[in-house]
Amino acid sequence: MAEYHGVKLLLTLIGRQARRHPWEYALLFSTVTCVAALWVAEPLYSRYAIDTMLTMREGADVNLIAIFGWWGLLFLLLSIAQTAEKFATWRMMNKTELDRSEEVYRHVLDLDIAFHTQQKSGEVVKVIDEGAENLTELQRNLIVDFLPSLASAVVFLGIGFSIQPFLSGMLVGLILLYIAIVVIGTQKTMKIQQQANRAWVERIGRAYDAVTNIFAVKSGAQEGRELRTLERANAKVFRKQMQVNRHWAAIEAINIFMLTRILLTSVGVYFYVRGTLSLGELYFFQASFFRVLTPFEILSGILPFWNKKVGKVRLSEELLRIPVRVRSKRGAKRPGHVDGHIEFRGVCFSYEEKFKILDTDETEKVADRIVETVHPLHEPEDETQHTQETIHPALALQEERRPPKRYDHGRDVLHDVSIDIRPGEHVAFVGHSGAGKSTLAMLLNRFYDVTEGRILIDGTDLRELDLLWWRAQVGLVLQDNLMFNDTILENIRYARPDATEADVKEAAGRAAAADFIESLPKGYATLVGDRGIKLSGGQRQRVAIARAILKRPTVVVLDEATSALDSVTERRVQEGIRSLIAGHTACIIAHRLSTVRSVDRIAVLDKGRLIAFARHEELLRTCAIYKEMVELQSHGMLAE
């Protein structure tokens, strides 16, 4: 049953690909059919040629030049057809692998933040690559190798039954015996192979984590620990895969091909001696034996890895079927101008917890996380780590991930929050960890949708606006802004690819980043390393601010943009922030209350509720929680 579903999945994907590239597949099927026909024609002609030449013993006049000329022509035609077939096959393979990886990758880019923050990016990228690679290989196995050989085998058997029914019947019986053995073996290995597939993916995911967090590994002197972790993962993979291989080794030990060749040769020679089979017909059976058994020989090479390969294709297909919940509606609006008037009206937000949080040693962890459709409304927020819209979605969206906080089903993280932010106003959101500050930032960027209530932009529900258009209006700067492994110039220009070098330098100057960039030996052409590892935290922040300035946003969201910096670096970064938010509506989330005193108004949140919204001076008089936070920070008792 599982094999049936695997074949059905494979045929569905091949059909989808054929509809996209009909001419390429027409060329492929034509060349494959031509090669198969010539493989049938050769032994048929050889049978005729051999029996014709044998008549020379009886004095018959035989045109040997014509006989050998036709043999040569068959050889030439087969060589040309096989060359064309290989070209068409390679073209199809390249298109299939690239198209499939692009299709799944595009979907991964579109998937909600709720999905990405639950996945190890190394595992996701591995699923994309291996899914495309194995689909390509299975497609070649099926279309180019197996089906043409099977069609040739059927034709050979049909001709064989017309020549010598007993020999043909014996060949069919041996083939059926082999099929039965293979089917039983496949069923026995299927479940073990699925476990091995999951272990393979999990192994790569852990190794990717270690490499992307190399500073944590080295600073903690944990190289040995990570190596032992990989060794344990390798041992588990090896153990599972060897279980599968033992089953297939037992099947391969039954050498059905040698048995068939021995029986066919001995019985064929017997019929030849008895005069019921000509030498040409005996040659035909010997040649057709290889052609009849070829599809089953191909099958024997595919089946030991069938479950493994189909499993990887299925993982990528399940990844492709995960729905995108936060998306633009049909006919979404793209206003010509944005004033920056933001209203949170009765906003409630909850995490409907349906993610399965698994132990790291659980063998089915990877497959369950990917196969399980993202049903939750949203994924619980981690107030200290956030994703950034400019981080490459196929790479880590978070440098480290913790299991998300657990909430009771239906429990609100935000409770009836209503805030009216005027155009051009600078508003700060403050509160203790877990108060819901960053959740508001995520909702404003529409990384999630509200559970209840509305967010209005110039009077229009945020969900009515085109998603990509709206995100292009928002400049987002986070606490930890990771970079592409590219030049500083391209990292800044990522926000606006059509920007000139002069535009980039102007943005860097306004972000107080130009001085340190120009002091580097290669200036703006400096490669920043993986995730910006060659830059300090303050330098990365200023590059991120330059990127946001270059974007020319209407609304600016700063989520803990300076909380990880020392005071000296913070002052430099604040210069860029002032330039970024000047003349724009700005929402600033901060733990350091000293950084938000100059804003127009401050919203104080506590346990998901808005408890006060006023200027700094008024809050000191009227809001006990805010006053307490200010006093604790001034005495160094509350982390800034």
Side-chain angles (χ1 to χ4, degrees):
M1 194 66 177
E3 290 84 352
Y4 165 75
H5 288 302
V7 172
K8 184 178 179 181
L9 171 64
L10 184 58
L11 292 177
T12 299
L13 296 180
I14 291 174
R16 187 190 303 170
Q17 190 71 10
R19 287 190 293 274
R20 291 174 181 166
H21 304 287
W23 291 110
E24 283 83 357
Y25 276 77
L27 174 64
L28 177 64
F29 282 117
S30 298
T31 55
V32 166
T33 301
C34 184
V35 169
L38 288 170
W39 275 117
V40 173
E42 187 276 325
L44 277 176
Y45 176 74
S46 296
R47 166 199 170 193
Y48 161 78
I50 290 171
D51 286 342
T52 299
M53 287 190 293
L54 285 176
T55 60
M56 294 172 62
R57 292 184 305 182
E58 302 169 1
D61 187 17
V62 177
N63 188 344
L64 293 178
I65 295 177
I67 288 176
F68 284 102
W70 280 106
W71 252 328
L73 180 60
L74 277 173
F75 171 78
L76 180 62
L77 290 175
L78 186 57
S79 298
I80 293 172
Q82 284 182 318
T83 300
E85 179 197 51
K86 287 186 182 300
F87 172 79
T89 299
W90 291 334
R91 182 180 177 85
M92 176 272 296
M93 289 178 68
N94 289 333
K95 276 190 173 292
T96 297
E97 184 165 0
L98 294 174
D99 283 0
R100 179 63 175 179
S101 60
E102 181 180 330
E103 178 185 23
V104 182
Y105 178 68
R106 183 188 303 114
H107 185 68
V108 167
L109 293 182
D110 289 338
L111 281 173
D112 303 332
I113 291 295
F115 168 82
H116 287 289
T117 51
Q118 282 279 33
Q119 306 302 319
K120 289 184 178 179
S121 52
E123 293 173 356
V124 174
V125 173
K126 182 176 174 64
V127 167
I128 294 173
D129 288 345
E130 290 192 342
E133 181 183 343
N134 283 282
L135 173 61
T136 301
E137 192 170 342
L138 287 170
Q139 183 175 243
R140 178 184 60 78
N141 292 151
L142 183 65
I143 296 178
V144 180
D145 299 334
F146 180 70
L147 289 180
S149 298
L150 183 62
S152 299
V154 171
V155 173
F156 275 121
L157 283 175
I159 298 172
F161 272 105
S162 69
I163 297 173
Q164 175 48 257
F166 182 82
L167 276 179
S168 300
M170 182 179 67
L171 187 57
V172 169
L174 290 169
I175 290 171
L176 292 176
L177 174 63
Y178 179 73
I179 291 174
I181 293 171
V182 168
V183 168
I184 294 171
T186 303
Q187 289 176 339
K188 286 184 175 297
T189 60
M190 179 182 62
K191 186 174 181 180
I192 304 172
Q193 186 62 69
Q194 288 174 344
Q195 294 173 353
N197 288 349
R198 293 163 184 150
W200 277 102
V201 174
E202 183 179 287
R203 164 184 171 271
I204 294 298
R206 178 61 189 185
Y208 185 91
D209 266 0
V211 172
T212 54
N213 290 284
I214 193 64
F215 271 110
V217 173
K218 287 187 172 295
S219 65
Q222 296 299 319
E223 292 92 339
R225 175 186 175 184
E226 291 301 328
L227 183 58
R228 289 190 296 274
T229 299
L230 183 63
E231 288 172 348
R232 286 194 298 271
N234 284 345
K236 182 164 66 174
V237 168
F238 182 79
R239 186 170 59 252
K240 290 292 182 184
Q241 199 60 58
M242 286 307 297
Q243 285 182 261
V244 176
N245 293 345
R246 279 195 294 271
H247 281 85
W248 283 108
I251 294 172
E252 289 294 322
I254 305 171
N255 200 325
I256 197 74
F257 303 105
M258 179 178 289
L259 175 62
T260 303
R261 185 168 63 250
I262 291 171
L263 289 175
L264 196 63
T265 302
S266 57
V267 175
V269 169
Y270 172 78
F271 283 128
Y272 172 70
V273 172
R274 294 289 301 270
T276 57
L277 194 71
S278 71
L279 187 61
E281 291 170 338
L282 179 59
Y283 172 83
F284 173 82
F285 270 103
Q286 286 296 319
S288 65
F289 153 71
F290 291 106
R291 301 308 303 172
V292 168
L293 289 188
T294 293
F296 303 99
E297 186 176 7
I298 292 171
L299 203 60
S300 70
I302 295 173
L303 284 178
F305 309 101
W306 171 262
N307 291 328
K308 180 179 180 179
K309 292 180 178 180
V310 170
K312 291 180 178 180
V313 173
R314 185 178 286 113
L315 276 179
S316 70
E317 184 66 12
E318 293 293 347
L319 181 59
L320 193 61
R321 290 175 183 173
I322 295 174
V324 179
R325 301 190 179 279
V326 180
R327 62 194 321 160
S328 298
K329 293 182 178 180
R330 182 169 298 185
K333 301 175 183 177
R334 290 190 169 207
H337 175 73
V338 178
D339 292 327
H341 185 197
I342 302 171
E343 295 178 79
F344 292 86
R345 286 190 182 177
V347 169
C348 296
F349 180 73
S350 63
Y351 301 101
E352 185 181 346
E353 186 179 5
K354 290 187 181 178
F355 279 108
K356 185 178 181 183
I357 308 303
L358 300 173
D359 295 332
T360 55
D361 291 332
E362 191 171 344
T363 58
E364 297 188 0
K365 163 181 142 184
V366 175
D368 285 343
R369 277 206 314 234
I370 292 178
V371 171
E372 183 179 338
T373 301
V374 182
H375 287 303
L377 293 175
H378 307 290
E379 182 251 347
E381 164 196 30
D382 184 336
E383 289 284 339
T384 61
Q385 297 180 11
H386 311 290
T387 54
Q388 181 191 0
E389 62 179 348
T390 53
I391 295 174
H392 201 295
L395 297 177
L397 289 172
Q398 291 177 316
E399 194 167 357
E400 295 178 0
R401 292 182 176 84
R402 307 175 192 173
K405 301 172 185 177
R406 293 182 176 272
Y407 296 90
D408 295 333
H409 177 80
R411 177 183 171 185
D412 286 345
V413 179
L414 292 176
H415 310 267
D416 194 24
V417 174
S418 294
I419 302 174
D420 191 335
I421 304 174
R422 296 183 291 267
E425 187 175 21
H426 298 165
V427 172
F429 296 90
V430 301
H432 295 294
S433 295
K437 306 182 301 296
S438 292
T439 298
L440 285 174
M442 297 298 105
L443 292 175
L444 185 56
N445 280 275
R446 210 185 161 205
F447 292 147
Y448 305 106
D449 279 331
V450 299
T451 306
E452 294 181 26
R454 295 192 298 167
I455 299 176
L456 303 179
I457 307 299
D458 295 342
T460 301
D461 193 312
L462 181 57
R463 291 167 292 193
E464 299 296 327
L465 298 176
D466 181 84
L467 180 62
L468 296 182
W469 174 87
W470 169 246
R471 288 179 180 168
Q473 309 305 310
V474 180
L476 176 64
V477 181
L478 302 177
Q479 175 182 354
D480 188 12
N481 294 278
L482 304 185
M483 302 281 134
F484 292 104
N485 190 0
D486 206 335
T487 64
I488 292 177
L489 178 73
E490 292 305 321
N491 269 284
I492 296 175
R493 188 153 54 191
Y494 187 78
R496 188 155 61 88
D498 61 341
T500 65
E501 186 171 342
D503 293 333
V504 172
K505 290 182 177 179
E506 180 190 358
R510 290 176 58 192
D515 289 343
F516 94 79
I517 295 174
E518 292 168 2
S519 69
L520 298 171
K522 294 187 178 180
Y524 287 87
T526 300
L527 290 171
V528 302
D530 188 28
R531 298 172 297 128
I533 203 168
K534 294 181 180 179
L535 302 180
S536 69
Q539 290 171 337
R540 284 200 301 271
Q541 289 299 83
R542 280 177 277 174
V543 169
I545 292 169
R547 182 160 55 196
I549 291 173
L550 184 67
K551 190 177 183 180
R552 297 173 182 170
T554 304
V555 175
V556 176
V557 178
L558 306 176
D559 192 355
E560 311 285 4
T562 63
S563 63
L565 305 178
D566 61 78
S567 299
V568 175
T569 305
E570 182 186 3
R571 281 196 295 272
R572 295 172 184 161
V573 171
Q574 286 290 356
E575 295 176 27
I577 289 177
R578 282 192 290 272
S579 178
L580 171 61
I581 66 177
H584 302 299
T585 303
C587 297
I588 304 167
I589 296 159
H591 278 299
R592 286 181 178 175
L593 302 183
S594 58
T595 65
V596 300
R597 293 178 181 178
S598 61
V599 301
D600 297 311
R601 287 186 291 174
I602 300 171
V604 183
L605 297 171
D606 184 49
K607 298 179 181 178
R609 298 184 184 276
L610 177 67
I611 61 171
F613 186 35
R615 293 186 63 82
H616 169 71
E617 295 79 8
E618 183 179 345
L619 290 175
L620 286 176
R621 296 193 306 268
T622 60
C623 182
I625 289 181
Y626 182 77
K627 182 178 180 181
E628 179 188 25
M629 292 176 65
V630 172
E631 290 176 348
L632 289 174
Q633 283 197 2
S634 65
H635 290 89
M637 298 177 66
L638 184 64
E640 291 193 333

